[in-house]
Amino acid sequence: MGASRVLAFDVGLHFIRYSLFVDGRQGMPGTIATPVDSAESFYRALAAVADAQRDPIDGITVSFPGFIDTVRQRAITAGPLPALYGRTIGDELKRHLDRPVPVWMENDANCAAMAEYLSGNARNLRDFVLVTVDTGIGGAVFLDGKIHRGRDWRAGEFGMMMVNRGSGYLSLHDYASTTPLTRDYAEAFGVPEEAVVAGSLLQRLDDPQVQRIVERWADQLATGIFNVITVLDPECVLLGGAISREVTLLPLVREALDRIPYWRDFRTPIKRCRHSGNAGLIGAYYAFMTEVMNETVA
């Protein structure tokens, strides 16, 4: 019989969201601050939530930033949490629980893709990619009905693609994340970069100068998406990240792709992720059930 009470965590830089899944149904999410001073503080914080559950839980699953060795349950890197680099988080967390249970940890972008496969805009698809657009470019690759992690757990690092060698060793991060978008706006309008909200620029396309800045950025993003499609030939590309919630993003990206002369030969559906805030929790639950319990989740 499969696990019926699974506690999922979604680890972010400032906050950790958590939710209990009972027989596949997600409970009300909660939030705690992310401890960043030490690994011990991190483990104690997660263990406190687990130990406080009213009824015993059957497992814990964690959506986590960085390169994640899922075989050893080890964080090769841990994104913005340096205290957790190189730690075997699965085993170490178990030792802090009053009642040890199975623990599974998965990369956060992979979790987002799994959430879309389970109950989002990738249902019934066997091959798709997810591209996350934020202050960096990330993503995940789903091939033949399962997540593709790569030899060294680095598959989906789309932001590291070199898209303009003539300007030095610059990557897609440097051209298509929200960072160059806010920087270009700040330079053009003489305002502090930290005061610019990237998503708000997509709501000001009636201003010709803003439109030029945004369209130039969209062309760079479309270039990265096009490159991914030419390599993997997926059934669909999903866009995630906070800026993907802006309704103007998809039309901008589609128009930018139409400006690529070869797009007609590789035309692929481009959609927005259905899940946003709960993607990490849902995907982490899916990962636990399929990887630990070897169950089919539908």
Side-chain angles (χ1 to χ4, degrees):
M1 180 177 178
S4 59
R5 296 175 60 82
V6 179
L7 181 61
F9 291 94
D10 183 15
V11 178
L13 171 59
H14 300 295
F15 298 100
I16 299 173
R17 301 181 75 243
Y18 63 89
S19 186
L20 181 68
F21 287 77
V22 179
D23 295 329
R25 296 186 177 183
Q26 182 181 356
M28 185 69 68
T31 304
I32 58 174
T34 303
V36 296
D37 58 324
S38 69
E40 288 299 310
S41 296
F42 178 82
Y43 299 137
R44 285 196 298 268
L46 268 61
V49 174
D51 294 338
Q53 296 301 307
R54 181 178 303 175
D55 297 310
I57 59 176
D58 299 298
I60 292 174
T61 184
V62 185
S63 170
F64 198 82
F67 300 140
I68 307 302
D69 178 345
T70 56
V71 172
R72 298 172 180 81
Q73 286 295 284
R74 173 175 172 263
I76 300 171
T77 65
L81 303 173
L84 295 168
Y85 275 53
R87 306 299 291 253
T88 52
I89 292 175
D91 287 340
E92 293 176 28
L93 175 57
K94 285 181 189 178
R95 294 197 287 269
H96 287 75
L97 299 171
D98 288 345
R99 177 178 173 270
V101 294
V103 175
W104 184 262
M105 179 176 62
E106 181 64 81
N107 167 267
D108 50 6
N110 287 349
C111 284
M114 292 177 183
E116 293 299 318
Y117 181 71
L118 175 63
S119 58
N121 287 335
R123 291 199 69 177
N124 303 318
L125 298 183
R126 300 285 293 174
D127 300 275
F128 69 93
V129 296
L130 183 150
V131 179
T132 57
V133 185
D134 214 305
T135 53
I137 301 288
V141 180
F142 212 90
L143 297 178
D144 196 25
K146 59 184 179 181
I147 204 73
H148 176 72
R149 299 183 179 92
R151 182 194 66 179
D152 292 319
W153 322 101
R154 289 166 168 79
E157 287 297 313
F158 303 133
M160 291 307 299
M161 287 191 295
M162 310 298 291
V163 292
N164 189 352
R165 179 64 183 85
S167 297
Y169 292 102
L170 298 178
S171 67
L172 195 64
H173 289 305
D174 300 300
Y175 288 100
S177 69
T178 58
T179 301
L181 177 60
T182 56
R183 182 194 63 230
D184 290 352
Y185 177 88
E187 291 177 356
F189 287 85
V191 298
E193 187 175 339
E194 60 272 16
V196 182
V197 178
S200 68
L201 304 186
L202 274 62
Q203 302 169 12
R204 297 179 50 200
L205 298 179
D206 53 338
D207 183 322
Q209 190 172 3
V210 174
Q211 183 179 15
R212 284 193 296 272
I213 292 170
V214 171
E215 287 184 349
R216 184 168 63 243
W217 168 80
D219 283 337
Q220 300 289 356
L221 178 58
T223 298
I225 293 170
F226 177 78
N227 289 345
V228 170
I229 289 171
T230 61
V231 173
L232 296 173
D233 191 24
E235 297 175 82
C236 179
V237 174
L238 299 179
L239 297 182
I243 200 168
S244 70
R245 293 194 286 269
E246 298 295 334
V247 296
T248 53
L249 179 64
L250 275 183
L252 280 166
V253 170
R254 289 169 177 159
E255 290 169 7
L257 285 165
D258 283 336
R259 289 192 286 271
I260 298 175
Y262 312 109
W263 177 236
R264 63 181 178 272
D265 298 321
F266 293 91
R267 190 172 296 275
T268 302
I270 311 294
K271 300 180 181 179
R272 184 172 58 176
C273 289
R274 177 182 177 184
H275 297 297
S276 54
N278 285 329
L281 297 172
I282 296 170
Y285 169 75
Y286 174 90
F288 183 91
M289 297 303 294
T290 56
E291 300 286 351
V292 178
M293 304 308 299
N294 295 314
E295 291 194 6
T296 301
V297 183

